[in-house]
Amino acid sequence: MTSHRQDQVLRVIHPVSGRPLDVIRLDGQRVHCIVGLYPSEEVAPQPLDLAVALHLDTAPAAVDAGLRHSIDYARLEGELRFLLESCRFRTLETAAHALARYLLAPATGDLPHARVEAVDVTLVKPHALRGEGAGVPSLTIRRYADDQRWTVEQKPW
């Protein structure tokens, strides 16, 4: 999978300040995931290449130098790997949407991080098509935090 070049990303504008947001990228991650509609795809994990771009304001992290105002790349890499390797998806669309919602979820008290305003998720299924000259299917989606709806459960324990 090739890395994204900066000029290939359409910039996201901060909803309040109106200035372009910064982009933290995690490119080139290979995971093995059960994804597909055909019987052979429903039992054996196959390789997927993953790239994500998180659009956020990193200025507070530059001042504070702490991860509560940024993104912990190592933790993020592990969490995305866990989600894809632990779940089963029928389509790339379902997998990409699940990852986007996870990446846009608000921070919790035990895992603070910067607010991600938008996310681009790219999934590539390199071995989906076989034969000489076969193409390589991929999907890229962009989702925005403001379009997501979250509910908070209150538990008595």
Side-chain angles (χ1 to χ4, degrees):
M1 182 163 106
T2 60
S3 294
H4 291 90
R5 291 182 14 204
Q6 185 65 22
D7 60 349
Q8 291 175 323
V9 175
L10 294 175
R11 299 300 292 247
V12 173
I13 304 301
H14 191 281
V16 176
S17 72
R19 67 180 181 80
L21 288 165
D22 307 314
V23 181
I24 292 179
R25 307 183 69 73
L26 179 60
D27 292 330
Q29 186 174 7
R30 168 77 48 108
V31 297
H32 288 81
C33 177
I34 294 181
V35 59
L37 297 169
Y38 300 108
S40 62
E41 296 176 311
E42 294 177 344
V43 293
Q46 57 187 298
L48 288 182
D49 294 329
L50 169 66
V52 298
L54 292 84
H55 301 264
L56 65 155
D57 182 2
T58 62
V63 173
D64 184 321
L67 287 179
R68 66 189 175 105
H69 295 295
S70 190
I71 302 297
D72 182 340
Y73 322 127
R75 190 182 90 228
L76 179 63
E77 190 273 341
E79 291 168 346
L80 296 176
R81 178 177 302 282
F82 175 80
L83 287 169
L84 286 173
E85 291 181 352
S86 300
C87 299
R88 294 171 183 252
F89 302 98
R90 293 186 53 81
T91 64
L92 284 179
E93 293 83 352
T94 305
H97 182 78
L99 293 177
R101 286 208 28 103
Y102 180 78
L103 292 165
L104 292 168
T108 59
D110 59 334
L111 291 174
H113 61 78
R115 176 179 162 88
V116 176
E117 298 291 343
V119 65
D120 300 325
V121 176
T122 298
L123 290 172
V124 180
K125 201 171 173 184
H127 301 301
L129 303 175
R130 305 208 191 287
E132 186 176 334
V136 177
S138 67
L139 170 70
T140 299
I141 65 168
R142 175 172 286 172
R143 295 294 181 266
Y144 297 89
D146 290 345
D147 293 336
Q148 306 301 311
R149 299 295 169 250
W150 307 101
T151 58
V152 177
E153 293 182 358
Q154 299 298 324
K155 300 292 184 183
W157 61 85

